[in-house]
Amino acid sequence: MPVRQDPALGCPLKARAVRIRRLALEMVTRARASHIGSALSIADIVAALYGEVLRVDPADPQWQERDRLLLSKGHACVILYAALADAGFFPLNRLETYAQDGSELMSHISHKVPGVEFSTGSLGHGLPFGTGKALAAKKRDKDWRTFVILGDGEIAEGSNWEAMLFAAHNRLDNLVGIIDYNKLQSLTTVEQTLRIEPLADKIAAFGWAVREVDGHDIRAVADALSCAPWQAGKPSMLIAHTVKGRGVSFMEDQVAWHYRNPSEEQLAQAIAELEGDA
């Protein structure tokens, strides 16, 4: 049966976010992989989406009436893999194969994984693809929505702005973008790389309905996304202000954790901090 909310009655969204953070940390530590900082910054957003917002059916990942979620910042895939396993799309023990030879759980998001709509690696692809999905739903008179999670550094890609123009022109109010605005890129800050402010004003000028939110206030994120579209005839963009590495003190707002992987000792400390926060 399709689900729209947390199947575990009484389980708060915050507990879901802690679970998927822990799973993601274990995955990157085991595989000695990278991008944990970028994954942790969207953990609360992903927890809100799978806890209350998305209309999906873990038992039938290709259900025709499902909402579509695209992770355009595909390098942060561990948190989405963790959320999908936690929601029941595939067994949790499959996460142990992450980034191993022959595994479908590749280190950039792969559509071979149940519940994943689209493979992304190079940035700037998710929103144009999502725009096409939203247009297809309109053409077919379907009521499912398309959500796209973007990185703030990814906004530098011109393809995003072309997609914003196209989506507004075609009145795609079934399209919802979410910008993970953690202010850090792979090597330095967004501000130093390519200034994007005033971001909300720019996106609004392209014809979108725009809201800003604390991206770690799960209740606020879930409420905002659940009621989208916010304006009839306009696509919606949620600018979520986040902290890279959120939830682990020594990773928070540290650009080094874009590529670094934790040691076993650091993993133990991170889990202790997460469980203390649960």
Side-chain angles (χ1 to χ4, degrees):
M1 174 182 296
V3 294
R4 291 188 68 101
Q5 59 184 359
D6 198 323
L9 294 178
C11 179
L13 293 176
K14 187 175 180 181
R16 179 185 288 260
V18 169
R19 291 199 305 272
I20 64 175
R21 278 190 167 97
R22 175 172 181 157
L23 290 169
L25 283 159
E26 291 171 342
M27 290 165 69
V28 298
T29 303
R30 186 185 304 113
R32 303 184 68 180
S34 56
H35 303 128
I36 187 62
S38 190
L40 294 179
S41 75
I42 59 170
D44 297 308
I45 297 168
V46 173
L49 284 165
Y50 282 95
E52 290 191 4
V53 179
L54 293 177
R55 183 174 65 180
V56 293
D57 182 1
D60 184 6
Q62 296 302 311
W63 176 44
Q64 289 296 315
E65 303 306 317
R66 71 190 184 280
D67 289 332
R68 274 63 168 174
L69 172 65
L70 308 172
L71 181 63
S72 194
K73 44 175 283 180
H75 53 281
C77 59
V78 286
I79 204 70
L80 185 53
Y81 292 157
L84 291 169
D86 182 71
F89 281 82
F90 55 86
L92 279 168
N93 62 9
R94 193 175 300 178
L95 298 178
E96 296 175 7
T97 70
Y98 169 68
Q100 304 298 314
D101 288 345
S103 173
E104 63 186 13
L105 300 176
M106 301 171 68
S107 56
H108 280 68
I109 198 77
S110 170
H111 67 275
K112 294 182 180 179
V113 178
V116 174
E117 299 286 344
F118 183 53
S119 299
T120 54
S122 300
L123 299 175
H125 291 172
L127 191 59
F129 187 84
T131 299
K133 285 283 187 182
L135 181 63
K138 289 285 187 183
K139 295 286 188 184
R140 298 170 186 169
D141 197 26
K142 299 292 187 180
D143 65 355
W144 46 265
R145 296 177 295 173
T146 297
F147 296 81
V148 182
I149 300 176
L150 301 134
D152 49 6
E154 186 180 8
I155 295 301
E157 302 287 348
S159 52
N160 288 313
W161 298 96
E162 294 177 26
M164 286 185 219
L165 281 172
F166 184 89
H169 176 81
N170 286 281
R171 301 174 59 82
L172 300 180
D173 56 8
N174 56 349
L175 176 64
V176 183
I178 307 162
I179 296 177
D180 174 32
Y181 200 2
N182 61 39
K183 289 80 175 177
L184 291 178
Q185 295 193 200
S186 57
L187 300 175
T188 185
T189 65
V190 171
E191 176 72 12
Q192 290 179 321
T193 306
L194 186 64
R195 190 175 304 113
I196 59 177
E197 287 292 344
L199 185 58
D201 290 343
K202 289 175 180 174
I203 296 172
F206 272 58
W208 286 53
V210 182
R211 292 188 182 183
E212 296 188 69
V213 68
D214 176 350
H216 301 302
D217 183 338
I218 303 180
R219 182 74 268 141
V221 171
D223 288 347
L225 295 176
S226 293
C227 67
W230 305 319
Q231 189 171 341
K234 284 189 173 185
S236 304
M237 184 68 80
L238 185 69
I239 300 176
H241 293 273
T242 61
V243 175
K244 200 158 187 169
R246 176 73 174 198
V248 179
S249 62
F250 58 89
M251 293 183 182
E252 288 190 354
D253 207 28
Q254 298 298 311
V255 71
W257 287 99
H258 189 87
Y259 289 121
R260 185 178 296 173
N261 59 277
S263 65
E264 291 293 340
E265 292 75 17
Q266 289 170 324
L267 173 63
Q269 180 182 342
I271 290 174
E273 291 184 10
L274 290 175
E275 293 181 342
D277 189 43

